[in-house]
Amino acid sequence: ARQINFVKKIVDYVVLNGHMLDKSALQNEPFQSIGSIIDIFPTDKAVRIVNIIESINKNATDIAGA
């Protein structure tokens, strides 16, 4: 349940902001109250989530720069 909630918060954040260029946001609210990404997900899954965020950021900056 914590994993799903964490991912939903990421989606909400990206929908609201269009990106998550500063991934340290994952250490602040609303994520902090759920827990650390490292504590909630196995390392390989946490890395995958960060890679997906980076992909979203690249798409957002490519579109903005177009």
Side-chain angles (χ1 to χ4, degrees), residues 3 11 15 33 39 43 45 59-60:
Q3 290 178 338
V11 171
V15 167
S33 61
D39 293 334
T43 302
K45 300 291 186 213
N59 290 339

Side-chain angles (χ1 to χ4, degrees), residues 36-48:
S36 166
I37 190 171
I38 301 299
D39 293 334
I40 298 172
F41 295 95
T43 302
D44 63 321
K45 300 291 186 213
V47 169
R48 178 85 173 112

Side-chain angles (χ1 to χ4, degrees), residues 14 18-23 50-66:
V14 172
H19 54 70
M20 185 184 283
L21 297 178
D22 184 4
K23 287 176 285 307
V50 171
N51 288 340
I52 291 168
I53 293 169
E54 288 174 354
S55 177
I56 291 167
N57 290 340
K58 182 180 181 325
N59 290 339
T61 55
D62 286 352
I63 290 169

Side-chain angles (χ1 to χ4, degrees), residues 9-30:
K9 295 292 183 189
I10 293 172
V11 171
D12 291 346
Y13 185 98
V14 172
V15 167
L16 180 65
N17 297 289
H19 54 70
M20 185 184 283
L21 297 178
D22 184 4
K23 287 176 285 307
S24 69
L26 293 171
Q27 299 170 358
N28 302 319
E29 291 301 337

